[in-house]
Amino acid sequence: MSTGTTTRNLFARHRRTRSSAGMRRLVRETRLSADCFMYPLFVTHGRGVREPIAPMPGCFQMSADQLGQEAREIASLGIPAVLLFGIPSQKDPMGTGAYDDAGVVQEAVRAIKDAEHELVVATDVCLCEYTDHGHCGPLDYRGEVDNDVALELLARTAVSHARAGADLVAPSAMVDGQVAAIREALDSEGHAQTPIMAYAAKYASAFFGPFRVAAESAPKFGDRRGYQMDPPNVREAMREIAADVAEGADIVMVKPALPYLDIIAAARANFDHPIAAYNVSGEYAMVKAAAANGWIDERRATLEVLTAIRRAGADIVITYHAKDAARGLE
Ligand code: PBG
Ligand code: ZN
């Protein structure tokens, strides 16, 4: 046995299948396609609004009248779904704009479904964009989110979205029991066919910063650490996902994505439900800022990030990069 020869062959063996673009395509283990993408949209009140979001270059707050054209563009890129967030004209302690049948998201759903019926319209179900204090539910006398009242208002919000034509509702408040409450309300209001994508493992993350500018939803006092998850925990995330699955979640989400690839992988190993990962605003902003400075190659970095999230085990990637990434993926 000649060790020298063996070493040389082994060396070549790793390289043989990397020798050309075609060869690399053949042995690729993870494929990125626009099919996996869900594109978030920020819908605002008024007419003719297309306001750039400073910390999220390429993203805009848009009024409902802009959404038909936007939806057609998204669909033409092969992206199957959008996720809507609303910026109401007025905020109040109970977040009434969230469950108003004439609210911003409800109007946006109708506008998109009119223009592009096949596009899957998912809606974020939370109150933080609608409350004047910026928390994800109404507050009790101690200034903490009142779980029971929040459940009822979140259920009303989900039903209102479904009534407007939403195809999928996505509760993100991290209020205990929200999935069961929404499932029950949807079923009893004639929307048994509407699936729930639960923000199951949602961490109290610094990477939501740009989103809170975009959605004008930063808490006016305190933070969300009392209801969002503590970043060091992984086993707890499995318990959160199991609870949401037991309550009837059809799709479970891990959020953020890039600093939590291990959570996505653990979720993939433990659950057979479709898994969504939210490549959040701060992750997007980092890539955009570095690219704007000429410090990284934007296209390569974007595709590498999205591929990594898929490789970790996500079926669905919710990402602000969706339109850019989809261009040229086919
Ligand atoms: C609202 C919500 C947030 C995000 C999605 N839904 C922000 C938050 O919890 O403050 C963040 C998304 C992003 O950063 O892109 N509950
Ligand atoms: Zn919220």
Side-chain angles (χ1 to χ4, degrees):
M1 192 176 80
S2 150
T3 328
T5 308
T6 310
T7 307
R8 245 195 338 271
N9 283 343
L10 265 179
F11 199 45
R13 194 193 299 158
H14 293 303
R15 293 183 171 183
R16 269 180 225 134
T17 52
R18 295 175 198 155
S19 59
S20 69
M23 198 69 78
R24 288 191 294 273
R25 278 170 64 200
L26 284 174
V27 300
R28 193 154 290 155
E29 297 176 32
T30 306
R31 292 173 203 280
L32 200 56
S33 141
D35 286 347
C36 323
F37 297 155
M38 185 179 271
Y39 185 61
L41 290 173
F42 297 96
V43 300
T44 191
H45 51 95
R47 282 192 64 77
V49 184
R50 194 179 163 83
E51 181 72 21
I53 299 164
M56 301 174 67
C59 297
F60 301 82
Q61 291 182 344
M62 276 175 274
S63 51
D65 58 286
Q66 308 287 303
L67 295 175
Q69 197 192 332
E70 181 71 21
R72 282 187 287 270
E73 188 194 352
I74 292 164
S76 76
L77 290 166
I79 297 165
V82 291
L83 175 60
L84 305 187
F85 294 93
I87 300 124
S89 55
Q90 290 188 10
K91 305 191 187 218
D92 57 42
M94 300 297 279
T96 54
Y99 37 94
D100 176 355
D101 282 341
V104 277
V105 163
Q106 289 81 349
E107 267 207 42
V109 171
R110 289 187 282 268
I112 295 173
K113 292 309 280 187
D114 277 352
E116 196 59 63
H117 191 74
E118 299 299 304
L119 193 63
V120 173
V121 177
T123 57
D124 185 83
V125 176
C126 200
L127 300 183
C128 54
E129 293 121 55
Y130 304 89
T131 52
D132 52 9
H133 44 74
H135 282 284
C136 297
L139 304 177
D140 62 17
Y141 66 94
R142 294 168 302 180
E144 284 169 25
V145 171
D146 185 322
N147 211 84
D148 292 351
V149 185
L151 285 180
E152 195 199 316
L153 300 183
L154 291 166
R156 275 170 70 177
T157 303
V159 169
S160 175
H161 290 174
R163 202 182 289 133
D167 299 297
L168 174 63
V169 293
S172 70
M174 292 298 278
V175 167
D176 287 331
Q178 60 178 356
V179 174
I182 288 171
R183 183 71 272 155
E184 200 179 299
L186 287 171
D187 290 353
S188 66
E189 299 287 329
H191 302 288
Q193 294 303 312
T194 307
I196 298 175
M197 174 168 74
Y199 284 71
K202 179 177 180 182
Y203 287 86
S205 172
F207 291 94
F208 302 155
F211 173 95
R212 292 179 187 171
V213 174
E216 301 171 12
S217 66
K220 295 288 176 301
F221 62 89
D223 55 43
R224 303 206 207 291
R225 284 176 232 222
Y227 42 100
Q228 297 181 348
M229 286 189 57
D230 199 22
N233 296 356
V234 55
R235 294 190 303 272
E236 187 186 353
M238 299 305 108
R239 294 206 304 275
E240 287 273 7
I241 294 171
D244 282 357
V245 165
E247 288 182 29
D250 301 283
I251 300 171
V252 291
M253 193 202 298
V254 174
K255 173 187 173 191
L258 215 41
Y260 297 88
L261 293 178
D262 57 328
I263 314 294
I264 298 171
R268 177 74 295 152
N270 285 287
F271 298 93
D272 289 330
H273 280 60
I275 293 173
Y278 200 143
N279 175 221
V280 301
S281 57
E283 301 173 53
Y284 175 80
M286 285 195 296
V287 171
K288 285 287 180 180
N293 278 291
W295 295 335
I296 53 170
D297 175 331
E298 179 171 347
R299 176 97 192 140
R300 286 190 57 202
T302 299
L303 296 183
E304 190 172 328
V305 164
L306 299 176
T307 301
I309 295 167
R310 292 269 299 137
R311 191 188 61 228
D315 301 295
I316 300 166
V317 185
I318 304 166
T319 179
Y320 305 99
H321 293 295
K323 281 167 49 176
D324 287 346
R327 288 190 187 97
L329 264 189
E330 294 323 297

